[in-house]
Amino acid sequence: MSVTVDRLTVRWHPHTDPDGAARRRLDGLVARLRDDALEDALTGTADGRDTLVCLRRLAVDHRMNWALADAELVAGWGRALADAATAALAAGGSDVVRFLSRAHARRDLVTAVLADDRGRAWAWEMLRLWPSGGAVDGSIDGEALRLALADAQAEGTAPVVALVVAAAATGRLDRFVALAGAAALADLTERAWLSAGGSVELSRAVAPPPFGWEGQAASRASLMSAGPPSAARRPVPAAVDQPPGATGQPAMDGHTAPKALAPGSDVPAPGTYGTASARLAQVVAERSVIHAATLDDADMDIAVARLLAALAVLEVEPAAARTAAAAEAVAALVDLRAAAPPADGAQAGAVAAPTYHRVQSWRTGWGGLLFLLPLVAEVGLPDRVATDPDRYGPALRPVLHALARRIIARAVPDGGPAAPDDPAVLAFCGLPPDREPPRPVPVVDDPIDDEADGVVAALRRRLVVDDSIAERALLFATCRRRAEVEADPGWIEVRLDLDEVSIEVRRAGLDLDPGHLPWLGCVVRFRYG
């Protein structure tokens, strides 16, 4: 735990006016308290499960026994402050705010600002997420959102996408975009897309006008490569595999004939979009919170819709950004949004309450399964899924979900595969444990056993063990660990029991924080205790 004190004010009430030497002694006591004793005293006063605890103010009356040495005076002073802080934190109230992580603090800021609740601005300011000295009347809401987005961007793609997901879950995504600004949205989307391996850049040759992008946004940003925006939804009986003009439609400005949604379909038809693109768009449309939040906004600017469609792909299948199908899937999602019927009124106005003080956790017996995530990248599975959708399907999450269950089945052959909704299994594919498991995509040749073999071989190399150790024993010893999984979109923390510490695992570096995994779409952290 680290301690940051924004401001320390000391008022002395001496019985007599101190002379020069006495004043120097008082200044020295304050300096020793500030530089050493204060942090030592306050460290450990908060609940150890809280990474970030914000205490608005602490007023302490403390009497000095001047017969004591200075070191004893400072130590006693520090204990008095620690006791007062402990009591204040235990009492709670509006002057105490707890966050599990910066990700939780950012999400609280976004959801609260969209609900016109700025009561915790002082806590966000302590964490440098709210403009210093900023007003709390709504005039700097946009600046605060951009500050939170920039803070998230410093941690990677997933935290940025998680903030947009949080905004979408409130039912006020349009207000989020208006406050943050389309220019900021375009910038963070471009960075996130390219960071995830996307090869299609946003075209932002012209700076956005000062009063927004209305009527001009289509020329500012484009993730679609399927043709001019004016023709993006013109129905034509075109098939992607045919050359321009083969269906009787002329080529347009060097592009293939514009693609269309099949009449009455819920997803792009494979004959109008590429098969891989259509399947990816279907997966995203079914599971994306961001995409669902755009369906009730018929007036959304086309450029903003493209940006949000790209973020929806990063939300559901971040590894897909590097595939050839990704840009076309973004175009398909934009078409799908435009063709969708108005959202159900019961859902359109749904607003999620801020959850800064409530962090759900789920128990699992397979917490060590997450130790294998770095090995998944090491053996190159995300790249294989991205380049061979015919064998693996269009999405990485179902492959990871199946791999996790297969690994556990190998660890306990008599027990069968783990439950599809086991918290560790869902976390292994980048999903919070309260999400629905990904739906498996049927493939002709099941590759999961081959991938499990590769992960086991990589595990043997890390632990420096040969084939004399049975696979079953190796996987059980590594993966079978009691843990709690605490998760938000874009952030997964695995808290393992202290007695699950293993020298072999530590020596192999398997329980080092993986951090941001772009192909998984989230930050992963391990904690003991």
Side-chain angles (χ1 to χ4, degrees):
M1 174 184 172
S2 63
V3 174
T4 301
V5 178
D6 277 354
R7 184 171 64 251
L8 175 66
T9 301
V10 177
R11 291 187 178 89
W12 296 104
H13 299 281
H15 295 299
T16 59
D17 188 29
D19 58 17
R23 288 181 180 275
R24 288 191 293 273
R25 186 186 184 191
L26 296 180
D27 291 343
L29 291 172
V30 173
R32 291 178 67 170
L33 177 73
R34 178 197 62 208
D35 296 339
D36 301 312
L38 185 57
E39 182 171 354
D40 293 342
L42 294 180
T43 298
T45 57
D47 182 349
R49 295 178 62 83
D50 293 308
T51 304
L52 299 171
V53 182
C54 299
L55 180 59
R56 190 171 194 174
R57 61 176 66 87
L58 187 66
V60 179
D61 291 327
H62 180 64
R63 288 184 175 275
M64 296 285 196
N65 181 354
W66 298 109
L68 299 177
D70 286 3
E72 293 177 283
L73 290 174
V74 172
W77 198 358
R79 285 193 297 271
L81 289 168
D83 291 344
T86 299
L89 295 174
S94 60
D95 282 348
V96 178
V97 176
R98 291 176 167 85
F99 300 112
L100 178 66
S101 63
R102 289 191 72 83
H104 284 109
R106 291 191 297 259
R107 191 178 79 164
D108 177 51
L109 184 152
V110 168
T111 56
V113 164
L114 294 180
D116 288 321
D117 175 10
R118 303 168 194 86
R120 293 177 296 285
W122 63 269
W124 304 327
E125 185 176 347
M126 279 187 174
L127 301 177
R128 308 294 188 264
L129 296 175
W130 188 266
S132 179
V136 291
D137 56 4
S139 60
I140 60 169
D141 284 354
E143 184 181 352
L145 291 180
R146 289 189 291 274
L147 196 58
L149 286 167
D151 188 78
Q153 200 166 63
E155 294 181 4
T157 301
V160 171
V161 177
L163 278 188
V164 183
V165 171
T170 68
R172 294 169 175 166
L173 185 58
D174 55 344
R175 184 162 187 255
F176 173 82
V177 173
L179 286 172
L185 181 68
D187 181 68
L188 70 90
T189 303
E190 179 179 25
R191 291 172 183 270
W193 188 259
L194 297 179
S195 175
S199 60
V200 182
E201 297 186 2
L202 300 179
S203 173
R204 298 175 64 238
V206 183
F211 301 108
W213 283 17
E214 292 75 5
Q216 307 180 57
S219 65
R220 301 290 191 263
S222 176
L223 278 169
M224 286 174 34
S225 59
S230 60
R233 289 189 294 277
R234 189 180 304 161
V236 292
V240 209
D241 296 329
Q242 295 175 324
T247 61
Q249 298 293 329
M252 301 175 60
D253 300 329
H255 295 276
T256 57
K259 303 165 180 61
L261 291 174
S265 68
D266 292 330
V267 296
T272 55
Y273 282 96
T275 302
S277 302
R279 293 167 72 188
L280 176 59
Q282 180 177 12
V283 170
V284 174
E286 289 176 349
R287 305 187 70 91
S288 170
V289 177
I290 296 174
H291 176 74
T294 68
L295 297 181
D296 62 339
D297 188 353
D299 299 325
M300 181 176 291
D301 188 280
I302 185 67
V304 172
R306 288 172 184 150
L307 298 171
L308 293 173
L311 290 169
V313 171
L314 296 178
E315 172 198 351
V316 176
E317 277 300 327
R322 69 185 76 182
T323 68
E328 196 172 80
V330 169
L333 287 168
V334 173
D335 279 348
L336 180 59
R337 187 201 69 82
D344 185 344
Q347 297 178 353
V351 176
T355 56
Y356 69 96
H357 61 291
R358 296 189 301 275
V359 179
Q360 286 186 286
S361 62
W362 294 262
R363 293 291 298 180
T364 179
W366 295 100
L369 178 69
L370 280 298
F371 293 160
L372 306 184
L373 281 175
L375 305 184
V376 169
E378 186 177 305
V379 302
L381 176 57
D383 291 330
R384 282 192 292 280
V385 174
T387 55
D388 194 357
D390 291 336
R391 185 179 188 211
Y392 293 92
L396 178 61
R397 292 201 200 280
V399 177
L400 292 174
H401 186 262
L403 177 61
R405 298 187 72 204
R406 194 71 53 89
I407 287 172
I408 292 177
R410 290 188 178 192
V412 283
D414 300 333
D421 59 352
D422 183 282
V425 171
L426 290 176
F428 192 82
C429 61
L431 293 175
D434 59 349
R435 292 286 188 91
E436 288 294 320
R439 189 167 58 192
V441 177
V443 291
V444 176
D445 178 24
D446 183 6
I448 302 303
D449 274 327
D450 290 344
E451 298 300 339
D453 290 341
V455 171
V456 171
L459 180 60
R460 289 186 185 279
R461 291 192 296 270
R462 281 289 192 98
L463 294 173
V464 196
V465 297
D466 55 29
D467 292 342
S468 63
I469 305 296
E471 178 187 84
R472 172 179 181 172
L474 178 68
L475 291 174
F476 190 88
T478 303
C479 301
R480 186 63 175 172
R481 298 176 190 277
R482 298 184 304 278
E484 289 185 7
V485 177
E486 297 177 339
D488 269 333
W491 187 280
I492 292 175
E493 185 155 309
V494 183
R495 293 181 176 268
L496 298 111
D497 294 353
L498 272 175
D499 58 2
E500 298 293 0
V501 175
S502 162
I503 294 176
E504 292 77 15
V505 167
R506 302 234 81 185
R507 186 185 297 122
L510 291 173
D511 60 354
L512 294 176
D513 283 347
H516 178 231
L517 301 175
W519 50 270
L520 191 64
C522 64
V523 173
V524 179
R525 297 175 61 186
F526 299 124
R527 293 290 180 268
Y528 289 98

